[in-house]
Amino acid sequence: MQVSLNWLNELVDLSDIEVEQIAHELTMSGLEVEEIEEVKPKFTNIITAKIEKIDAHPNSDRLHLVTVDTGSELRTVVCGGQNIEVGQVIPYASVGSKVLDRKSGEQFELTPAVIRGVESQGMLCSDDELGVSDRNYQEEDGILILNRIFPDITPGQNVEDVLGFKKDYILHTAP
């Protein structure tokens, strides 16, 4: 059986007790906890950004140079997404952010990149790259358009908060 610590906390106030102590107490009372799994997003350091300008990439027919407002500065990103438009609010990953590789599903850290001769100051993210495609936020493939789902969203917000991620643990108990 799998039990969410957040769910248990709705029934009994466990907020001041470490998860390891809760697992130990449950095991000592006869409900053996075999594993504690931390539930967390599959991405780090992603914020919302508003698309301000889209230009053609000078060395590619399929890529764009997208200028985004992060709430504190403008950044230019090389992007291949075909579903983007000026005014959309999207997930923005800066250098140092972690996202998922769309092909392998493995997490990787963004490093400085020059794509076809143009520096990209991060990337715009799809639901696959954030690991949230199972939430069915949008039907089309491409960059996740956040302001379609959350109309009052503004640049600079933490995407973890926007998407409602709360820290949780799953306690795996013996059958």
Side-chain angles (χ1 to χ4, degrees), residues 100-106 108 128-129:
L100 297 179
D101 181 290
R102 292 182 74 175
K103 294 177 184 171
S104 71
E106 297 294 318
F108 71 96
D128 289 331
E129 291 157 336

Side-chain angles (χ1 to χ4, degrees), residues 108-173:
F108 71 96
E109 184 173 325
L110 286 179
T111 57
V114 175
I115 302 171
R116 299 232 176 151
V118 178
E119 179 187 5
S120 183
Q121 299 173 324
M123 71 183 277
L124 310 184
C125 301
S126 69
D127 54 359
D128 289 331
E129 291 157 336
L130 298 178
V132 297
S133 57
D134 59 333
R135 293 184 177 200
N136 298 317
Y137 285 125
Q138 67 187 24
E139 292 180 13
E140 84 249 6
D141 191 31
I143 304 305
L144 180 58
I145 312 303
L146 292 169
N147 57 322
R148 287 185 189 160
I149 310 156
F150 310 101
D152 297 329
I153 198 168
T154 57
Q157 293 179 265
N158 183 327
V159 170
E160 205 172 304
D161 295 337
V162 169
L163 298 180
F165 280 96
K166 293 181 183 176
K167 186 173 185 167
D168 194 8
Y169 294 92
I170 302 297
L171 305 175
H172 296 262
T173 62

Side-chain angles (χ1 to χ4, degrees), residues 62-103:
R62 298 191 50 83
L63 296 175
H64 309 285
L65 300 180
V66 182
T67 302
V68 296
D69 176 1
T70 67
S72 60
E73 61 187 339
L74 296 178
R75 293 291 191 157
T76 301
V77 175
V78 176
C79 178
Q82 300 302 308
N83 66 326
I84 56 174
E85 297 175 5
V86 170
Q88 292 172 331
V89 178
I90 45 77
Y92 167 73
S94 59
V95 171
S97 298
K98 292 183 181 177
V99 296
L100 297 179
D101 181 290
R102 292 182 74 175
K103 294 177 184 171

Side-chain angles (χ1 to χ4, degrees), residues 31-50:
L31 184 62
E32 182 183 353
V33 176
E34 295 178 329
E35 179 185 355
I36 302 170
E37 174 189 355
E38 184 177 6
V39 178
K40 58 184 178 182
K42 297 175 182 173
F43 59 87
T44 63
N45 196 33
I46 310 295
I47 62 170
T48 59
K50 183 177 181 182

Side-chain angles (χ1 to χ4, degrees), residues 6-66:
N6 285 346
W7 176 76
L8 279 177
N9 206 31
E10 289 176 16
L11 303 172
V12 179
D13 183 11
L14 301 171
S15 57
D16 293 335
I17 306 172
E18 294 295 320
V19 66
E20 293 81 7
Q21 182 65 31
I22 294 166
H24 175 74
E25 296 295 333
L26 287 171
T27 299
M28 292 294 100
S29 68
L31 184 62
E32 182 183 353
V33 176
E34 295 178 329
E35 179 185 355
I36 302 170
E37 174 189 355
E38 184 177 6
V39 178
K40 58 184 178 182
K42 297 175 182 173
F43 59 87
T44 63
N45 196 33
I46 310 295
I47 62 170
T48 59
K50 183 177 181 182
I51 297 175
E52 295 293 333
K53 182 177 164 190
I54 302 173
D55 292 316
H57 190 292
N59 303 317
S60 173
D61 294 335
R62 298 191 50 83
L63 296 175
H64 309 285
L65 300 180
V66 182

